Amino acid sequence: MPDLNLTESRLTRTSAGTMATGSRTSITSTSVRRQRRIVQVVVQVAEWWRITTEAVSAAVRWAGRTVRPAGAVVVVAATIGLLFGVLFGWVEWMVAGCAALLLLLMSVPFLFGARAYEVDLALEHERVTAGDGVTGQIVVRNESSRPALPGRLDIPVGRGLVEFGVPFLRPGQSSTEPLEIPPLPRGVVRVGPVTTVRSDPVGLLRREHAFDDVHDLFVHPRTVGLPSTSAGLVRDLEGNATRRLVDADMSFHAIREYVPGDSRRQVHWKSTAKTGRLMVRQYEESRRSRMAVVLAAATQEYTDADEYELAVSAAASLGLRAVRDARDIDIVTGSEIPRVVKGRLRAIRHIPVVAPRTMLDGFSAIDRHENTMPVEDVCRLASEANERLSIAFVVVGASVPLTRLRQAALAFPADTAVAAVICDERAHPRMQNVAGLTVLTIGTLDDLSGLLVRGATS
């Protein structure tokens, strides 16, 4: 019997332990499920909040792009009128609010169809000369299956804007309008993108859609025809001998005694027979002429913007003549330097001279800078970048004195002919020689050609 009681008590304790374990397991699973539900609710609330925030942000952005100031006034009037009319029973306020709301709703249909157009912008020329206008055409086609209400096209031209009215277009119908851009100053002018504008007659709402068609219009500087570089002040030096002596070339200089390392092909046998010592020929090095055009770029070096444009045209005329004559040329100007490193950084900009069009495109994109190197430093870098320069032109404004021009000329090698072109619209054309530096002063672009021709006869 004691053994049976002991067994029963053990069974009872085991059953109680099992029930306690099951109870703890049930409590734990219930707590886990509750935590999961809480997490799910938090996740759903966060997702709803994100969706609501994005929707509100999108609505605010849409309203900012679509609702005009007059439309905002009408929205405020409708809100206040309906609110006060309902709260205080003011019939007049309620009527005013309903009228404002009706006017706003009537403006909405005018926004439809902004993306129904297919717009083609074509320019007759992609490159023009400063002071010339550009012509082209705009083709607008209704690509949708519904009629398109009248609208408007806005075409940005640089900092300006050209507007076109688009008539009512049936499905598949197109409208062609001529485009005339007025005369433009030198530069790279961006034409486009074309933007369709939908707006109601009152001007409450407005919807815009921009297309991807963008044209870069290169407005080249004015140039003048110059005499060929085979004559005049810019004489072609190709093949002319230099002061450097070499062992083999075209221009004979003298005969000297043979030294180890000389080529036996240069042995002068007649002199060898006369002197009894081996004698060789010595030559003056001939080289292909190379020309440099340096354009000052600091704002302080010019009196005004027109004077800078005259300098750009003069430099472009010199470069164009050299490129057409197949002369080796390097055209440089100052580059913009950040103010924080000004004085510690040197930088110049090279104008591409592969072809006349490429060179003129490069001149279209340059401009003056407040923070850049003075012309003397630009000449120094240009001299370091090009060895054996034959002639260099330094084009500056009237604000650069002769002392600085002489310093700029000293930056080039001694055997390089340096000519300075001073652009001063108030001065008469003249040519003078200052301490070995040829100085040309021009008041108009046509003066440059006359002075260069005068250099051929002086």
Side-chain angles (χ1 to χ4, degrees), residues 307-390:
E307 191 173 276
Y308 177 69
E309 292 302 322
L310 176 59
V312 172
S313 296
S317 300
L318 291 168
L320 189 60
R321 180 71 267 173
V323 171
R324 287 175 176 171
D325 288 347
R327 178 188 288 272
D328 291 337
I329 183 174
D330 192 21
I331 305 175
V332 299
T333 185
S335 179
E336 186 174 12
I337 299 175
R339 187 182 298 272
V340 294
V341 294
K342 185 178 180 181
R344 301 191 301 271
L345 179 66
R346 302 192 305 168
I348 57 177
R349 178 174 181 172
H350 292 263
I351 305 298
V353 293
V354 179
R357 176 180 293 184
T358 306
M359 186 201 68
L360 292 175
D361 287 348
F363 272 108
S364 298
I366 62 175
D367 201 355
R368 294 181 297 170
H369 305 292
E370 290 287 344
N371 300 316
T372 187
M373 297 187 305
V375 66
E376 304 94 299
D377 293 341
V378 177
C379 290
R380 190 171 293 108
L381 283 184
S383 177
E384 294 174 357
N386 298 280
E387 296 182 354
R388 305 179 185 176
L389 285 173
S390 302

Side-chain angles (χ1 to χ4, degrees), residues 18-142:
T18 303
M19 292 177 62
T21 302
S23 176
R24 287 195 298 270
T25 303
S26 177
I27 293 173
T28 302
S29 60
T30 302
S31 175
V32 170
R33 285 196 298 270
R34 185 181 298 111
Q35 291 177 357
R36 288 179 178 175
R37 285 196 297 269
I38 292 174
V39 171
Q40 291 176 355
V41 170
V42 171
V43 171
Q44 291 178 357
V45 170
E47 183 67 18
W48 291 340
W49 176 258
R50 184 185 64 81
I51 295 175
T52 304
T53 303
E54 291 180 354
V56 171
S57 300
V60 170
R61 290 194 300 269
W62 179 87
R65 295 192 304 265
T66 306
V67 181
R68 300 291 93 190
V73 173
V74 172
V75 170
V76 173
T79 304
I80 294 177
L82 293 176
L83 183 62
F84 281 19
V86 172
L87 292 179
F88 300 103
W90 295 345
V91 179
E92 296 82 357
W93 285 80
M94 187 175 296
V95 171
C98 290
L101 181 61
L102 181 62
L103 184 62
L104 193 65
L105 293 176
M106 292 175 62
S107 303
V108 173
F110 289 92
L111 304 181
F112 299 152
R115 299 176 181 270
Y117 292 145
E118 181 68 27
V119 179
D120 184 18
L121 170 63
L123 298 178
E124 185 176 354
H125 301 287
E126 295 286 344
R127 291 168 174 83
V128 295
T129 304
D132 294 343
V134 185
T135 59
Q137 68 176 9
I138 294 288
V139 180
V140 184
R141 186 179 300 102
N142 181 12

Side-chain angles (χ1 to χ4, degrees), residues 385-439:
N386 298 280
E387 296 182 354
R388 305 179 185 176
L389 285 173
S390 302
I391 187 169
F393 279 91
V394 183
V395 185
V396 299
S399 300
V400 180
L402 290 177
T403 54
R404 291 183 55 187
L405 288 177
R406 286 197 294 266
Q407 293 177 4
L410 292 176
F412 295 99
D415 58 348
T416 301
V418 182
V421 179
I422 300 178
C423 300
D424 187 357
E425 294 182 321
R426 299 164 298 181
H428 294 288
R430 65 181 182 273
M431 182 173 60
Q432 54 185 333
N433 193 289
V434 181
L437 172 65
T438 303
V439 180

Side-chain angles (χ1 to χ4, degrees), residues 99-241:
L101 181 61
L102 181 62
L103 184 62
L104 193 65
L105 293 176
M106 292 175 62
S107 303
V108 173
F110 289 92
L111 304 181
F112 299 152
R115 299 176 181 270
Y117 292 145
E118 181 68 27
V119 179
D120 184 18
L121 170 63
L123 298 178
E124 185 176 354
H125 301 287
E126 295 286 344
R127 291 168 174 83
V128 295
T129 304
D132 294 343
V134 185
T135 59
Q137 68 176 9
I138 294 288
V139 180
V140 184
R141 186 179 300 102
N142 181 12
E143 296 291 343
S144 66
S145 58
R146 299 185 301 272
L149 296 176
R152 192 176 85 241
L153 293 181
D154 288 346
I155 306 175
V157 180
R159 297 181 179 179
L161 190 69
V162 179
E163 296 182 355
F164 280 95
V166 181
F168 176 85
L169 295 178
R170 295 187 298 271
Q173 186 180 4
S174 62
S175 174
T176 303
E177 295 289 340
L179 172 65
E180 293 186 4
I181 300 177
L184 298 170
R186 181 191 59 84
V188 181
V189 180
R190 173 157 291 190
V191 181
V194 180
T195 304
T196 59
V197 180
R198 288 290 190 178
S199 180
D200 60 279
V202 184
L204 303 182
L205 305 178
R206 174 182 174 131
R207 188 181 181 187
E208 299 179 354
H209 173 66
F211 294 88
D212 298 331
D213 194 8
V214 178
H215 297 259
D216 286 331
L217 179 62
F218 290 89
V219 184
H220 293 166
R222 291 182 55 246
T223 57
V224 66
L226 300 180
S228 175
T229 55
S230 61
L233 184 64
V234 193
R235 293 181 177 87
D236 188 3
L237 303 179
E238 182 167 352
N240 285 5

